[in-house]
Amino acid sequence: MASKISIIGAGNVGGSLAQRLAEKGYADIVLLDIIEGLPQGKALDIIESAPILGFNSRITGTNSYRETANSDVVIITSGTNRKPGMTRDQLLKANVEIVSEVTGNIAKYSPDCIIIMVTNPVDAMTYLALKVSGFVPSRILGLSGVLDCARLCSFIAAELDVPVAEVSAYVLGEHGQNMVVIPRLAQVKGKPITKLLPQETINRLVERTINGGAEIISLLKTGSAFYAPSAAATRMVEAIILDKKEIMPCAAYLQGQYGIKDIVIGVPVKLGRGGIEQIVELELTDEEKKALASSAEAVKKLVATMKLG
Ligand code: NAD
């Protein structure tokens, strides 16, 4: 039997993600939204691309959670996105209600699934989903570092005029202004960028990464990024569905790792069919540890405003 993946929210990220996953062909896709016609229309459009591209996935657009029943992976993209000048944290109030309602439905209809949170502020929303669903922490994670690293890698590749495939990076911490970019771990063919670029250039690329989402919003004006976010979510889904055991930075619930407890924050995790199969503890310098701890504090403060009890 094919794997089943449901996507909640058929907006920019959800629609683009449905297309990417359908084209992969390894799972049936359900796309759900509260707006009548939106998921059905996008699903039909994707179905009509199948004869051209030659994929066989089944795609269903729906407004009913019954269609999502027994999904292996559910991705939450429902909620409000940022407008120019807004921070991710300012979305909290609007998205708490949506994410709570959506998570309750997912837990009811797909009690054994793995949830990937995309909705912002993603670290706090992942924490909320964990509390609402009652799932074990290994089955809930959020999209952050895969996207942030991809942004940094693309900037490094452009700066040094090297193939993007030769660049790797690690971005940890909050998916927001308290992101922890670690230049010493950003490398081109194994060589740290600290040996390849002057410090001012590195600082500029780090700043651009932290403000990567805002840069796109200021250009689009009516929406936020979705091509790279949907690509990043696809990579995470694929590692789970295909049991790849791949290590990538994701928002995960920490229970003492990195000296941090009871908060969701970006760290490297091993992803496989069980979801988060391991939280990987990198050796960090004292300064990097401090930056990660203060990033966790910022998320804790935001989570406290949700008054989850
Ligand atoms: P969008 O406005 O295009 O789509 C959101 C969709 O959610 C809309 O179609 C809306 O009808 C739907 N929705 C609202 N309430 C719902 C509910 N209760 N049930 C089901 N569907 C509901 O927004 P987008 O650009 O796709 O972004 C979605 C979210 O993802 C935003 O919060 C955005 O900030 C976030 N995001 C996160 C990352 C990340 O790296 N974590 C990257 C990009 C976007």
Side-chain angles (χ1 to χ4, degrees), residues 180-196:
V180 181
V181 183
I182 306 181
R184 123 190 120 78
L185 296 179
Q187 303 180 336
V188 179
K189 274 190 154 175
K191 197 163 188 185
I193 59 163
T194 43
K195 293 206 158 60
L196 298 169

Side-chain angles (χ1 to χ4, degrees), residues 55 72 80 117 142 162 165 170 186 198 205 251 271 278-279 294 304 307:
F55 62 83
D72 297 291
T80 308
M117 182 64 62
V162 295
Y170 263 109
L205 301 188
L271 289 187
Q278 189 194 340
I279 290 180
S294 80
K307 299 193 171 55

